[in-house]
Amino acid sequence: MTPGVTFTLATSDGNARTGTLALARGVIRTPAFMPVGTAGTVKAMYPDQVRQLGADVILGNTYHLMLRPGAERVARLGGLHAFSNWPYPILTDSGGFQVMSLASLRRIDEDGVTFRSHIDGGEHRLTPERSLEIQGLLDADIRMQLDECVALPAERPAVEKAMALSLRWAERSKAAFGAPTGRALFGIVQGGDIPDLRIHSAEGLVAIGFDGYAIGGLAVGEPQETMFDMIAVTTPALPVDRPRYLMGVGTPEDILGAIKRGIDMFDCVLPTRAGRHGVAYTRYGKINLKNARHAEDPRPLDPYTDCPASRDYSRAYLHHLVKSGEYLGAMLLTWNNLAYYQRLMGQIRAAIAGHRYDDFAAETLEGYAEGDLPALD
Amino acid sequence: MTPGVTFTLATSDGNARTGTLALARGVIRTPAFMPVGTAGTVKAMYPDQVRQLGADVILGNTYHLMLRPGAERVARLGGLHAFSNWPYPILTDSGGFQVMSLASLRRIDEDGVTFRSHIDGGEHRLTPERSLEIQGLLDADIRMQLDECVALPAERPAVEKAMALSLRWAERSKAAFGAPTGRALFGIVQGGDIPDLRIHSAEGLVAIGFDGYAIGGLAVGEPQETMFDMIAVTTPALPVDRPRYLMGVGTPEDILGAIKRGIDMFDCVLPTRAGRHGVAYTRYGKINLKNARHAEDPRPLDPYTDCPASRDYSRAYLHHLVKSGEYLGAMLLTWNNLAYYQRLMGQIRAAIAGHRYDDFAAETLEGYAEGDLPALD
């Protein structure tokens, strides 16, 4: 591993596992959920709130930050941590995924990808070397190789081509990384929903050697069962003593199932995006506060928590805030949702440590499937 | 005064004065600035943040709350304080001002005003009695009479007619109030920019008898000097032992000048609205964070405060947040701005108590006129 980076497994329970990933800026307890701070802010949250919820690491998006405010500008301002008032670990993606999903006029070639900014139409170029350079300018604690990800369903030739290109870019990313002390580089397994391609990708990455291994190209339209199958196919090809990161996932059900299959790290916009759209995550399932049935419901989202957003505001008030488009609606629901996710991760780590993960997962899924507390009379 | 309501003057310094207005739900230190919580939330702030800044009272808008979520609904949910998680005093306006500025198809008659909601076009009716009923359903701590306010400049007949109608509505408002223990009712002086009409209005209200007296119909387009003149004309006609509230005002300069002329209470959307539009209030004046000169400025808005929003985030970061339309931009700037206003009010109260108000006001205006800290090289 890169000097100053250590991954220590603590307990295993079946394929589920707890551990710690230690980096120069702090220790990440795994399994970990990383709130998404796209443009240098976890939307509608103060950074100290995010920390207090138990987030050991947040994610920043290279694509957004390279366009605005620009990586060189962030570097002149002391890096992304000083800039955004978050002194703890940050993982940055490579930018590739959002070039594919947000930018226009993309042209991919062997060397990299050229695209136009979704903000001002300006032309930009991303190569494995430039992506690592940007992530270095941001001074990210965990950096990701540039890869190519195809949407599913896709035919084998397209999946295989993207996987092979991603492997070649993995090698160039490793060379460009430069192994700064206490910073980690992760490779990304591609291969779509085709088991032998996933295994080939994983083995190729392991041969190059990374501090951790991500599984990319899932949660892109395929059924949950396919995602779980691909995780189960891939993890045996990855070293036990390296963290495994399932990119862009997911729902509480996704996370519980992925951890059962050996995943250690997650990121997802669901809790923050849902919070801005009137949706609350609770132990009883997702609740849509826009629904008129909440208009006179004096109960909080969940009285049995220590999060003020979940405990101290009525559903009637949240309904009013969401209907009125008030900032406080997004602020409280995002807070509630990230509190839910971080609480879930803490409970998961405790359950694995107590060798009762399967029971915990079953109970959690059962409660979550209820949909909500019983309605008021 | 209404039972359970007391106003105690502490110190006078010229016409400036400090005191306390005690109500059932708490004590308001005067001079006081009331943050505006239009629709049951001070926009982009958690209620406990507003309190921690030193706000003893916030304002709610009857017009907005009667339309959404509705006064009867708020009453069924336990009143505005329980609904919005703010257990401290709340002043509600009468709704009249916003009927005139926001609603469409207004028809005013002797009995009241009929209008269409700006939200869904539905027809509503507001009379002095219905306004007081709504304010009672909300259980506001300070309630305002319904009045009619004309925009300036205006001809004497129009000003006189609105002032006379407001006086008749004052009498009906007093009768409708019902004097619940620990709740206050304020009358509103009208009369535009015409001194004898202002005096007539004030004397008429004093004859009816209110717990406090507001000066309305100012900061509606007239020069600051006219506003100051009207305050100076009006306050001698008001009882010394009652609080005086200048409605909808204003800038730091407005507030300093009005206190010098005997005003005790203020409300204004400026600090909150400016915060959502990229503008910061500081001891060195207003700063527009949208301006490109802040893009690489590592300095905070004001390092010499204990407000995290003012002290812990660089102008470069705030510029980025504002340009990117991020929630956190509005959250931090609103926080900074309300911190500035509440800090100013605390300093004003201390200066009056120390019999150095004029010096304090002059120093503050001098600093504020600088516009900003010196630019970076």
Side-chain angles (χ1 to χ4, degrees), chain A residues 39-41 43 46-47 49 68-69 73 76 83 85 276 295-296 312-313 317 320-321 323-324 326-327 330, chain B residues 39-41 43 46-47 49 68-69 73 76 83 85 276 295-296 312-313 317 320-321 323-324 326-327 330:
Chain A
T41 160
K43 291 183 195 300
Y46 298 106
Q49 284 181 296
R68 189 170 58 194
R73 173 168 286 171
R76 284 193 295 274
F83 183 63
N85 228 358
R276 299 195 304 283
E296 298 211 3
D312 297 343
Y313 300 83
Y317 185 56
H320 166 67
L321 294 174
K323 294 289 280 185
S324 303
E326 287 285 351
Y327 280 78
Chain B
T41 160
K43 290 184 196 296
Y46 298 105
Q49 283 181 297
R68 189 170 58 192
R73 173 168 287 171
R76 284 192 295 274
F83 183 64
N85 228 357
R276 299 194 304 283
E296 298 211 2
D312 297 342
Y313 298 84
Y317 185 56
H320 166 67
L321 295 174
K323 294 290 280 184
S324 304
E326 287 285 349
Y327 279 78

Side-chain angles (χ1 to χ4, degrees), chain A residues 3 21 35 38 51 55 77 92 105 110 128 130 134 141 160 170 185 187 203 250 276 282 284 351 371 377:
Chain A
L21 175 60
T38 302
R51 182 66 176 179
L77 289 161
T92 45
L105 292 173
E110 177 64 30
R130 177 61 182 157
I134 290 170
D141 301 276
E160 186 161 13
L185 177 68
E203 290 176 347
R276 299 195 304 283
T282 78
Y284 305 110
D377 293 342

Side-chain angles (χ1 to χ4, degrees), chain A residues 23-300:
Chain A
L23 302 158
R25 283 198 184 84
V27 170
I28 299 165
R29 297 163 291 174
T30 61
F33 179 80
M34 302 185 278
V36 176
T38 302
T41 160
V42 176
K43 291 183 195 300
M45 296 283 288
Y46 298 106
D48 60 341
Q49 284 181 296
V50 177
R51 182 66 176 179
Q52 282 161 15
L53 293 178
D56 296 329
V57 50
I58 62 174
L59 181 141
N61 287 123
T62 287
Y63 172 81
H64 287 93
L65 292 164
M66 71 182 282
L67 296 181
R68 189 170 58 194
E72 278 74 11
R73 173 168 286 171
V74 173
R76 284 193 295 274
L77 289 161
L80 186 55
H81 301 75
F83 183 63
S84 61
N85 228 358
W86 175 267
Y88 314 107
I90 297 176
L91 180 148
T92 45
D93 62 10
S94 69
F97 184 80
Q98 277 154 340
V99 166
M100 296 305 159
S101 57
L102 293 177
S104 58
L105 292 173
R106 304 175 297 274
R107 289 192 316 275
I108 195 161
D109 57 49
E110 177 64 30
D111 188 51
V113 55
T114 302
F115 61 95
R116 290 195 177 278
S117 157
H118 73 290
I119 300 171
D120 62 7
E123 188 169 291
H124 295 265
R125 174 99 180 139
L126 209 51
T127 63
E129 291 76 17
R130 177 61 182 157
S131 175
L132 267 296
E133 183 184 15
I134 290 170
Q135 297 181 70
L137 287 163
L138 300 173
D139 199 13
D141 301 276
I142 304 176
R143 305 173 191 181
M144 304 299 299
Q145 71 150 101
L146 189 68
D147 63 338
E148 189 193 357
C149 162
V150 292
L152 297 179
E155 296 297 317
R156 180 177 178 106
V159 175
E160 186 161 13
K161 191 173 164 222
M163 182 276 288
L165 180 65
S166 296
L167 262 186
R168 293 193 297 277
W169 284 1
E171 195 141 15
R172 286 167 54 189
S173 297
K174 174 79 183 279
F177 173 52
T181 302
R183 311 286 187 263
L185 177 68
F186 282 26
I188 304 177
V189 177
Q190 289 291 352
D193 54 0
I194 304 171
D196 69 281
L197 295 185
R198 286 278 169 191
I199 292 168
H200 182 83
S201 175
E203 290 176 347
L205 292 170
V206 173
I208 299 167
F210 288 91
D211 297 311
Y213 296 89
I215 302 182
L218 292 177
V220 290
E222 79 287 0
Q224 188 191 56
E225 200 185 322
T226 304
M227 180 176 79
F228 286 163
D229 287 348
M230 289 305 104
I231 298 168
V233 157
T234 304
T235 48
L238 296 173
V240 170
D241 61 351
R242 292 290 184 276
R244 301 159 182 167
Y245 162 30
L246 182 60
M247 301 184 79
V249 173
T251 65
E253 298 100 319
D254 290 340
I255 288 173
L256 286 164
I259 287 171
K260 182 182 170 67
R261 292 165 179 81
I263 298 295
D264 305 304
M265 298 169 67
F266 301 87
D267 82 278
C268 192
V269 296
L270 275 182
T272 40
R273 181 174 291 166
R276 299 195 304 283
H277 289 87
V279 172
Y281 283 87
T282 78
R283 76 183 77 202
Y284 305 110
K286 276 201 302 189
I287 299 174
N288 187 342
L289 272 306
K290 288 194 289 287
N291 194 307
R293 74 187 168 92
H294 304 296
E296 298 211 3
D297 191 333
R299 298 173 305 169

